[in-house]
Amino acid sequence: MKNSREINPRDSNSESPWQSVVSPDAAFAQVTDAFDVIIVGAGITGLTTGLLLQKAGKKCLILEAGKVGFGTTGGTSAHLNTFFDATYPEIEHDFSVQAARQVADSGKDAMGIITALVKEYGIDCDLEYKDAYLFSENETETDQLLEILEASRRAGIDVSEANHNDLPVPFERSLRFTQQGQFQPLKYINGLLAAFRQLGGAILENSFVTEHKELDNGMEVLAGERTFRAAHLVYATHIPPGITAFSFRCAPYRSYVLGLRLKDGNYPTGLAYDMQEPYHYFRTHVVEGEQILILGGEDHKTGHDDPEQAFANLEKYAREYYQVESVVYRWSSQYYIPVDGLPYIGRLAASGGNIYIATGFNGNGMMYGTLSGKILTDQILGIENLYGNLYTPSRLKPVAGFSEFVKENADVAWRFVADRFGAEELDKLSELQKGEGKVAEFKGEKLAVYKDQQGKVTALHPVCSHAGCIVNFNAAEQSWDCPCHGGRFDISGKVMCGPPRNDLSQIDL
Ligand code: FES
């Protein structure tokens, strides 16, 4: 693990390789009170949207709760693909062959936007184009793989069978997708930020948006003590805050990643993915002059399984196939799986037409975040976007079973926590290890208790301020994670990750 030094903060305790690149202080902007567009969130979605709008002559303000890249952009594994977690056969089946082609086209457009912005603004972000390999390990997976091959070709993706998978992992069949890519996400969004500022864009960090109001002539947005006005409001925050339909149409997941130094230099030259459930993903990145194997997987619903176990499983898997010299990084990050497989990007119909969202990116945040920038910019400018209908948040596309799955899992988590800790008494807190947290019961009241490294015990009200589920302790990230919609709070109860808007209240022990 890395020693403590200045890093760009993010909504997690574990350090990703990208955080050594610290974003410049962005709290200096010329901020007036009225804008054309206010964008909440300074990750890839917010900054792409801000830059494209500012370029088009709009006056934008980006409000970021933490620091630039504080959310998932600071913890992504930064694969750039034109094939997605929702596979082309699935999209053909659940939407149409035409929709699959559109998704493929939108992926190519997103890649084109990244390429063009890097070129136009001279962004030094380690962007590389590589082949990507998707491989099967058993007969069932091979059947699926061959369906993916055919459907991807129908969608217009350049893919063919390969005689290797770029890895020391045995495989049955392998596909090669050309012109895929990777980059250093914080370097990339810092480049977007610099261009945005140069064009006169305003940004405020440490500005948590607590409320918005729809007025007759636009939006009023409250952030801390300040109130801003704009014609349009974009929530580039993953899931929009508050209780909305999207709290139930998107399920929060965490993915685990290791940065590994190898003894034998056997680093992959491309990007690679197996077809396990959840799948593993592989690539190489040169971090501070040294090659690192980036290997991820072990995804699970936020607040459900044990994060430490996920890291342990991932390391065991890595050591099965690689000569691991050391684990240089281990980090986790959050994403949202949408109910029908495709993201929700666009204007909220219920909002009177002034609020826009972009969420449900699955594990494809860099691509869909970029695409969102273009779709939202076009919609705000009144230009018809080719993909507007496909990704509209207003679509009604129920897929049998998935909604039930989300609800059921929320309930399972509730029961899991309640049953496990319901009978515990506060005097058992002495058994807590340093750095450990637990939901326990004291005089009939549930408490989220935590023992810090000095042995001091603190307690929080464990009922999530979003919709009332009980939070669960995440030892790997030292956070309280909500199993229902993925809200996350730090040890002091402060919101790190929406949709909750209010902190967990502290209880005086
Ligand atoms: Fe919805 Fe906690 S995030 S109840």
Side-chain angles (χ1 to χ4, degrees), residues 260-277:
L260 302 163
R261 184 181 293 133
L262 303 181
K263 287 179 191 159
D264 57 359
N266 189 20
Y267 294 93
T269 57
L271 314 165
Y273 313 84
D274 68 20
M275 296 179 70
Q276 294 181 22
E277 189 61 52

Side-chain angles (χ1 to χ4, degrees), residues 464-469 482-487 489 499-500:
C464 177
S465 59
H466 178 233
C469 292
C482 181
C484 288
H485 316 109
F489 305 85

Side-chain angles (χ1 to χ4, degrees), residues 242-243 247-248 252 336 463-471 481-489 497-500:
I243 301 176
S247 306
F248 304 95
Y336 289 80
V463 179
C464 177
S465 59
H466 178 233
C469 292
I470 301 288
V471 295
D481 296 356
C482 181
C484 288
H485 316 109
R488 300 181 60 240
F489 305 85
C497 178

Side-chain angles (χ1 to χ4, degrees), residues 364-383:
N364 309 113
M366 297 300 98
M367 300 303 288
Y368 282 132
T370 302
L371 185 67
S372 299
K374 175 65 175 152
I375 292 176
L376 300 181
T377 296
D378 282 353
Q379 292 183 345
I380 287 169
L381 296 176
I383 298 168

